[in-house]
Amino acid sequence: MGSVSLKIGDGTARFKRASVCSSAVNLLMLFSVIITNLFAFYAFTYSPKELHHQHNPKDISLISEKVSLILREIESSKKKLAQMEKELLGYETIDLSKPNIPNELKIFLDHHELPLGKDSRTGITEMVASVGHSCGKSGDLLSQYMNYKVNGLCPDDWSLGQNLILRGCDPLPRRRCFAKTIPKVGLQSFPSSLWKNVSEKIYSWSGIGCKNLACLNSKKLNRDCAACFDIVNGYETQRYVKTRGKNDFLIDDVLAMGSGGIRVGFDIGGGSGTFAARMAERNVTVVTGTLNIDAPINEFIAARGLFPLYLSLDHRFPFYDNVFDLVHAGNGLDVGGRPEKLEFLMFDIDRILRTGGLFWLDNFYCSNVDKKKDLTRLIERFGYKKLKWVVGEKIIGSGKSEVYLSAVLQKPVRV
């Protein structure tokens, strides 16, 4: 097997560039096909008067050679155009013939035929590996990740896997090794677990600068997580039940806005899981989508008896359409100032939110006026009903003011 082409999109902002480049490639391919066909038609139909009288074998042979040359040029052009399209669209290939490719990666990416032949319902005949196309751009890291002892313990390399995910290699290839286990002693029963700390020894601290919760609570990991691991004495105990400014909404007030009741929700970039904890107290199940950025966030959320989902925002949400009553997002919605990437993300949020469901945008930082306008215009395109909309300023430590947007929006009925 020479190589495997990974043509699976990762939903990033490259699509805008790709659409323009794809149109150019299509036009170029069409032009090439027309020109080569005209040459071929000319070669087959052109017949000098001398040929009618003399039927010179040398002339016929010359025409045949020209036609063969044209056909070879057509085939070569097709290959070049295919390669150009791959490069323009942003995906490449993983060359499995390279000597440094681990055997485990070759086995995983190989096509495996179904043991009973063609499936009558789906029509598929083989199982194809699901892996992010950008994995090919991080070949060295991917080879390192897939270099392990089969049936043995996996290397303690979760940070390497997350690095690949952040580079667009998502989903990661599966591995045939046993993940490192840490005894989970001292876990509290639910619902006591929501607001009680447990032993720090149950978390994996490898690849993280801090080695305890006190260190994490002394830092501001992001705008939504400042001392957010202090769930006993810190501000986390007051979030969503007490306000510090007009941009803070009370959770009970938002729940009262939901038509048909709020039962299941999705929290994007939910810090230490406090939003899900407050919802759990109100018998609402919330899935918290987050990575482990500078902290063992997923393990911490799970220790509280909540549902963490290890997920990058570059990944299409692994949920069916119209299943959530509520989607909550703060600054986890920020995608680095790339409007087309935010647009894809907003469409995915809209997809998983049911009609009449609520989208709660919570203290989203607007770094400038243009960013606020762009986000406002994008939201208005979806036709959501503005149940609550607040733009407010906060004074930070340096005395500088920052603008934040909070909103509760209701998904409309679309026919």
Side-chain angles (χ1 to χ4, degrees):
M1 184 174 178
S3 64
V4 175
S5 296
L6 303 175
K7 302 184 180 179
I8 305 172
D10 64 352
T12 65
R14 283 195 300 268
F15 287 144
K16 183 176 182 180
R17 181 192 64 174
S19 62
V20 176
C21 294
S22 298
S23 300
V25 169
N26 291 333
L27 289 174
L28 183 59
M29 292 180 67
L30 178 62
F31 178 75
S32 176
V33 170
I34 292 174
I35 294 300
T36 50
N37 284 342
L38 286 175
F39 274 119
F41 178 77
Y42 172 78
F44 279 114
T45 58
Y46 175 71
S47 178
K49 295 180 179 180
E50 289 79 3
L51 284 177
H52 289 288
H53 301 287
Q54 302 176 6
H55 299 287
N56 192 329
K58 291 184 179 180
D59 292 337
I60 296 175
S61 176
L62 181 61
I63 292 175
S64 178
E65 289 179 4
K66 289 182 178 179
V67 171
S68 298
L69 178 61
I70 290 172
L71 293 176
R72 287 196 299 269
E73 287 294 330
I74 292 174
E75 189 63 29
S76 176
S77 297
K78 287 181 178 179
K79 292 180 179 179
K80 289 179 180 178
L81 287 170
Q83 182 61 33
M84 286 172 59
E85 187 174 22
K86 287 181 181 180
E87 295 174 356
L88 289 170
L89 288 174
Y91 61 77
E92 300 175 347
T93 60
I94 296 180
D95 188 357
L96 298 181
S97 64
K98 292 183 178 179
N100 62 335
I101 298 295
N103 189 56
E104 281 297 287
L105 182 59
K106 295 178 181 179
I107 294 174
F108 178 77
L109 292 179
D110 198 8
H111 292 201
H112 301 280
E113 293 186 1
L114 296 179
L116 299 179
K118 183 178 179 179
D119 183 83
S120 59
R121 291 178 300 174
T122 62
I124 63 174
T125 59
E126 57 185 16
M127 297 296 292
V128 182
S130 176
V131 64
H133 75 71
S134 291
C135 292
K137 296 181 179 180
S138 303
D140 293 340
L141 291 179
L142 184 62
S143 295
Q144 183 181 344
Y145 180 76
M146 293 300 290
N147 189 10
Y148 59 88
K149 182 180 179 181
V150 178
N151 296 325
L153 290 176
C154 295
D156 188 8
D157 59 354
W158 72 265
S159 56
L160 171 62
Q162 182 166 277
N163 191 3
L164 281 165
I165 290 174
L166 292 173
R167 290 167 177 255
C169 184
D170 186 18
L172 290 171
R174 286 175 173 161
R175 302 197 292 190
R176 297 187 294 172
C177 58
F178 298 101
K180 176 184 176 181
T181 57
I182 300 176
K184 302 292 184 178
V185 295
L187 293 176
Q188 301 289 325
S189 59
F190 190 86
S192 299
S193 58
L194 294 175
W195 304 104
K196 285 188 178 180
N197 281 327
V198 294
S199 172
E200 296 171 341
K201 294 181 180 180
I202 73 168
Y203 306 127
S204 174
W205 297 96
S206 64
I208 297 174
C210 286
K211 302 302 178 183
N212 54 62
L213 295 178
C215 175
L216 290 178
N217 287 324
S218 67
K219 296 183 176 182
K220 183 178 181 180
L221 298 184
N222 55 62
R223 293 183 181 276
D224 296 328
C225 185
C228 68
F229 294 91
D230 186 356
I231 59 174
V232 177
N233 301 309
Y235 173 65
E236 291 297 293
T237 61
Q238 302 178 31
R239 289 189 75 178
Y240 307 112
V241 293
K242 291 185 180 181
T243 63
R244 293 194 298 185
K246 64 178 183 178
N247 282 80
D248 297 335
F249 299 161
L250 298 179
I251 203 165
D252 291 326
D253 292 345
V254 175
L255 288 177
M257 300 178 191
S259 60
I262 304 297
R263 297 148 301 181
V264 289
F266 180 45
D267 188 15
I268 300 174
S272 60
T274 295
F275 178 79
R278 288 300 182 196
M279 284 294 188
E281 292 176 330
R282 290 152 178 80
N283 297 319
V284 178
T285 301
V286 169
V287 178
T288 304
T290 181
L291 292 174
N292 287 344
I293 304 299
D294 300 325
I297 299 175
N298 279 263
E299 290 175 289
F300 188 87
I301 293 174
R304 299 181 75 174
L306 302 169
F307 187 168
L309 181 64
Y310 192 62
L311 182 73
S312 162
L313 288 186
D314 289 329
H315 196 293
R316 184 179 189 264
F317 295 138
F319 306 116
Y320 194 67
D321 303 351
N322 307 297
V323 294
F324 286 107
D325 303 310
L326 180 144
V327 175
H328 175 263
N331 288 286
L333 199 67
D334 192 356
V335 287
R338 298 158 72 181
E340 55 278 323
K341 190 172 182 180
L342 177 59
E343 184 176 358
F344 275 103
L345 179 57
M346 283 296 299
F347 269 98
D348 210 21
I349 291 173
D350 180 80
R351 177 184 63 82
I352 64 174
L353 186 63
R354 68 167 174 83
T355 299
L358 303 181
F359 174 45
W360 182 353
L361 186 61
D362 190 2
N363 281 278
F364 183 80
Y365 171 57
C366 301
S367 56
N368 53 60
V369 176
D370 289 338
K371 186 173 183 179
K372 181 174 72 70
K373 289 181 179 179
D374 290 341
L375 179 60
T376 301
R377 281 195 290 262
L378 177 60
I379 291 174
E380 289 176 345
R381 283 173 51 193
F382 286 82
Y384 280 44
K385 183 180 180 180
K386 296 180 181 178
L387 302 181
K388 201 165 185 178
W389 183 278
V390 177
V391 177
E393 292 186 355
K394 294 182 181 180
I395 305 299
I396 59 177
S398 61
K400 181 183 177 182
S401 64
E402 294 181 338
V403 177
Y404 288 82
L405 169 63
S406 292
V408 179
L409 311 166
Q410 188 174 44
K411 182 176 176 178
V413 177
R414 301 192 185 103
V415 180

